[in-house]
mmCIF file of all heavy atoms in Angstrom:
data_model
loop_
_atom_site.group_PDB
_atom_site.id
_atom_site.type_symbol
_atom_site.label_atom_id
_atom_site.label_comp_id
_atom_site.label_asym_id
_atom_site.label_seq_id
_atom_site.Cartn_x
_atom_site.Cartn_y
_atom_site.Cartn_z
ATOM 1 N N THR R 20 60.056 -29.177 -58.080
ATOM 2 C CA THR R 20 61.479 -29.482 -58.260
ATOM 3 C C THR R 20 61.975 -30.398 -57.152
ATOM 4 O O THR R 20 62.682 -31.369 -57.414
ATOM 5 C CB THR R 20 62.317 -28.194 -58.305
ATOM 6 O OG1 THR R 20 61.828 -27.359 -59.352
ATOM 7 C CG2 THR R 20 63.787 -28.501 -58.550
ATOM 8 N N HIS R 24 63.421 -33.930 -58.032
ATOM 9 C CA HIS R 24 64.879 -34.023 -57.925
ATOM 10 C C HIS R 24 65.389 -34.106 -56.495
ATOM 11 O O HIS R 24 66.604 -34.200 -56.283
ATOM 12 C CB HIS R 24 65.534 -32.826 -58.615
ATOM 13 C CG HIS R 24 65.197 -32.719 -60.060
ATOM 14 N ND1 HIS R 24 65.742 -33.525 -61.021
ATOM 15 C CD2 HIS R 24 64.337 -31.884 -60.716
ATOM 16 C CE1 HIS R 24 65.253 -33.209 -62.203
ATOM 17 N NE2 HIS R 24 64.390 -32.212 -62.045
ATOM 18 N N ILE R 26 65.396 -32.419 -52.374
ATOM 19 C CA ILE R 26 65.709 -31.093 -51.836
ATOM 20 C C ILE R 26 67.112 -30.648 -52.228
ATOM 21 O O ILE R 26 67.363 -29.478 -52.508
ATOM 22 C CB ILE R 26 65.489 -31.025 -50.296
ATOM 23 C CG1 ILE R 26 65.478 -29.571 -49.814
ATOM 24 C CG2 ILE R 26 66.515 -31.847 -49.558
ATOM 25 C CD1 ILE R 26 64.318 -28.766 -50.306
ATOM 26 N N GLU R 27 68.047 -31.597 -52.309
ATOM 27 C CA GLU R 27 69.409 -31.238 -52.739
ATOM 28 C C GLU R 27 69.412 -30.775 -54.192
ATOM 29 O O GLU R 27 70.098 -29.818 -54.548
ATOM 30 C CB GLU R 27 70.361 -32.429 -52.567
ATOM 31 C CG GLU R 27 71.792 -32.079 -52.893
ATOM 32 C CD GLU R 27 72.758 -33.243 -52.680
ATOM 33 O OE1 GLU R 27 72.447 -34.166 -51.906
ATOM 34 O OE2 GLU R 27 73.830 -33.217 -53.301
ATOM 35 N N GLY R 28 68.636 -31.449 -55.036
ATOM 36 C CA GLY R 28 68.526 -31.029 -56.431
ATOM 37 C C GLY R 28 67.931 -29.642 -56.562
ATOM 38 O O GLY R 28 68.369 -28.831 -57.380
ATOM 39 N N TYR R 29 66.936 -29.359 -55.711
ATOM 40 C CA TYR R 29 66.337 -28.024 -55.693
ATOM 41 C C TYR R 29 67.371 -26.974 -55.292
ATOM 42 O O TYR R 29 67.496 -25.934 -55.933
ATOM 43 C CB TYR R 29 65.137 -27.978 -54.736
ATOM 44 C CG TYR R 29 64.686 -26.575 -54.446
ATOM 45 C CD1 TYR R 29 63.951 -25.856 -55.384
ATOM 46 C CD2 TYR R 29 65.020 -25.952 -53.245
ATOM 47 C CE1 TYR R 29 63.567 -24.554 -55.130
ATOM 48 C CE2 TYR R 29 64.630 -24.653 -52.981
ATOM 49 C CZ TYR R 29 63.902 -23.953 -53.929
ATOM 50 O OH TYR R 29 63.537 -22.660 -53.675
ATOM 51 N N GLN R 30 68.114 -27.252 -54.238
ATOM 52 C CA GLN R 30 69.115 -26.299 -53.762
ATOM 53 C C GLN R 30 70.199 -26.074 -54.808
ATOM 54 O O GLN R 30 70.672 -24.946 -54.990
ATOM 55 C CB GLN R 30 69.701 -26.775 -52.434
ATOM 56 C CG GLN R 30 68.685 -26.716 -51.314
ATOM 57 C CD GLN R 30 69.123 -27.441 -50.052
ATOM 58 O OE1 GLN R 30 69.981 -28.308 -50.073
ATOM 59 N NE2 GLN R 30 68.489 -27.082 -48.932
ATOM 60 N N ASN R 31 70.609 -27.133 -55.510
ATOM 61 C CA ASN R 31 71.602 -26.987 -56.583
ATOM 62 C C ASN R 31 71.050 -26.120 -57.710
ATOM 63 O O ASN R 31 71.767 -25.290 -58.275
ATOM 64 C CB ASN R 31 72.013 -28.353 -57.126
ATOM 65 C CG ASN R 31 72.893 -29.117 -56.180
ATOM 66 O OD1 ASN R 31 73.529 -28.551 -55.299
ATOM 67 N ND2 ASN R 31 72.922 -30.430 -56.334
ATOM 68 N N ALA R 32 69.775 -26.322 -58.046
ATOM 69 C CA ALA R 32 69.151 -25.531 -59.109
ATOM 70 C C ALA R 32 69.114 -24.049 -58.731
ATOM 71 O O ALA R 32 69.398 -23.181 -59.557
ATOM 72 C CB ALA R 32 67.740 -26.048 -59.388
ATOM 73 N N ILE R 33 68.770 -23.759 -57.484
ATOM 74 C CA ILE R 33 68.723 -22.367 -57.022
ATOM 75 C C ILE R 33 70.113 -21.746 -57.074
ATOM 76 O O ILE R 33 70.300 -20.630 -57.565
ATOM 77 C CB ILE R 33 68.142 -22.287 -55.592
ATOM 78 C CG1 ILE R 33 66.669 -22.666 -55.601
ATOM 79 C CG2 ILE R 33 68.354 -20.907 -54.980
ATOM 80 C CD1 ILE R 33 65.794 -21.760 -56.443
ATOM 81 N N SER R 34 71.111 -22.477 -56.592
ATOM 82 C CA SER R 34 72.486 -21.972 -56.585
ATOM 83 C C SER R 34 72.970 -21.672 -58.001
ATOM 84 O O SER R 34 73.542 -20.606 -58.270
ATOM 85 C CB SER R 34 73.405 -22.989 -55.913
ATOM 86 O OG SER R 34 74.746 -22.607 -56.036
ATOM 87 N N THR R 35 72.744 -22.600 -58.912
ATOM 88 C CA THR R 35 73.182 -22.424 -60.297
ATOM 89 C C THR R 35 72.442 -21.260 -60.952
ATOM 90 O O THR R 35 73.041 -20.436 -61.643
ATOM 91 C CB THR R 35 72.964 -23.718 -61.093
ATOM 92 O OG1 THR R 35 73.688 -24.778 -60.465
ATOM 93 C CG2 THR R 35 73.443 -23.575 -62.529
ATOM 94 N N THR R 36 71.141 -21.176 -60.726
ATOM 95 C CA THR R 36 70.338 -20.097 -61.306
ATOM 96 C C THR R 36 70.818 -18.739 -60.817
ATOM 97 O O THR R 36 70.932 -17.797 -61.607
ATOM 98 C CB THR R 36 68.845 -20.293 -60.962
ATOM 99 O OG1 THR R 36 68.425 -21.552 -61.490
ATOM 100 C CG2 THR R 36 67.990 -19.184 -61.544
ATOM 101 N N GLU R 37 71.112 -18.644 -59.534
ATOM 102 C CA GLU R 37 71.604 -17.373 -58.999
ATOM 103 C C GLU R 37 72.931 -16.990 -59.640
ATOM 104 O O GLU R 37 73.155 -15.830 -59.973
ATOM 105 C CB GLU R 37 71.740 -17.446 -57.482
ATOM 106 C CG GLU R 37 70.408 -17.413 -56.771
ATOM 107 C CD GLU R 37 70.521 -17.554 -55.263
ATOM 108 O OE1 GLU R 37 71.622 -17.851 -54.753
ATOM 109 O OE2 GLU R 37 69.491 -17.368 -54.601
ATOM 110 N N LYS R 38 73.809 -17.966 -59.811
ATOM 111 C CA LYS R 38 75.105 -17.660 -60.431
ATOM 112 C C LYS R 38 74.927 -17.230 -61.881
ATOM 113 O O LYS R 38 75.643 -16.359 -62.365
ATOM 114 C CB LYS R 38 76.028 -18.873 -60.357
ATOM 115 C CG LYS R 38 76.561 -19.129 -58.966
ATOM 116 C CD LYS R 38 77.486 -20.309 -58.949
ATOM 117 C CE LYS R 38 78.003 -20.596 -57.552
ATOM 118 N NZ LYS R 38 78.883 -21.765 -57.525
ATOM 119 N N LEU R 39 73.982 -17.840 -62.582
ATOM 120 C CA LEU R 39 73.793 -17.522 -63.991
ATOM 121 C C LEU R 39 73.082 -16.198 -64.212
ATOM 122 O O LEU R 39 73.429 -15.443 -65.108
ATOM 123 C CB LEU R 39 72.986 -18.629 -64.683
ATOM 124 C CG LEU R 39 73.721 -19.915 -64.986
ATOM 125 C CD1 LEU R 39 72.756 -20.957 -65.508
ATOM 126 C CD2 LEU R 39 74.825 -19.675 -66.008
ATOM 127 N N GLU R 54 77.887 -28.132 -61.709
ATOM 128 C CA GLU R 54 76.832 -27.173 -62.048
ATOM 129 C C GLU R 54 76.687 -27.037 -63.563
ATOM 130 O O GLU R 54 75.571 -26.997 -64.084
ATOM 131 C CB GLU R 54 77.125 -25.823 -61.416
ATOM 132 C CG GLU R 54 76.955 -25.813 -59.911
ATOM 133 C CD GLU R 54 77.492 -24.550 -59.259
ATOM 134 O OE1 GLU R 54 78.455 -23.948 -59.783
ATOM 135 O OE2 GLU R 54 76.936 -24.186 -58.215
ATOM 136 N N SER R 57 74.869 -29.926 -65.013
ATOM 137 C CA SER R 57 73.470 -30.035 -64.612
ATOM 138 C C SER R 57 72.558 -29.039 -65.325
ATOM 139 O O SER R 57 71.377 -28.973 -65.024
ATOM 140 C CB SER R 57 73.338 -29.836 -63.100
ATOM 141 O OG SER R 57 73.568 -28.479 -62.758
ATOM 142 N N LEU R 58 73.071 -28.300 -66.253
ATOM 143 C CA LEU R 58 72.276 -27.282 -66.920
ATOM 144 C C LEU R 58 71.386 -27.890 -68.010
ATOM 145 O O LEU R 58 71.477 -27.553 -69.175
ATOM 146 C CB LEU R 58 73.178 -26.192 -67.518
ATOM 147 C CG LEU R 58 73.969 -25.380 -66.524
ATOM 148 C CD1 LEU R 58 74.876 -24.391 -67.237
ATOM 149 C CD2 LEU R 58 73.051 -24.646 -65.568
#
Side-chain angles (χ1 to χ4, degrees):
T20 303
H24 301 284
I26 194 67
E27 184 178 337
Y29 167 76
Q30 292 168 339
N31 287 339
I33 292 299
S34 173
T35 302
T36 300
E37 286 177 351
K38 287 181 181 179
L39 285 173
E54 289 169 330
S57 71
L58 296 177

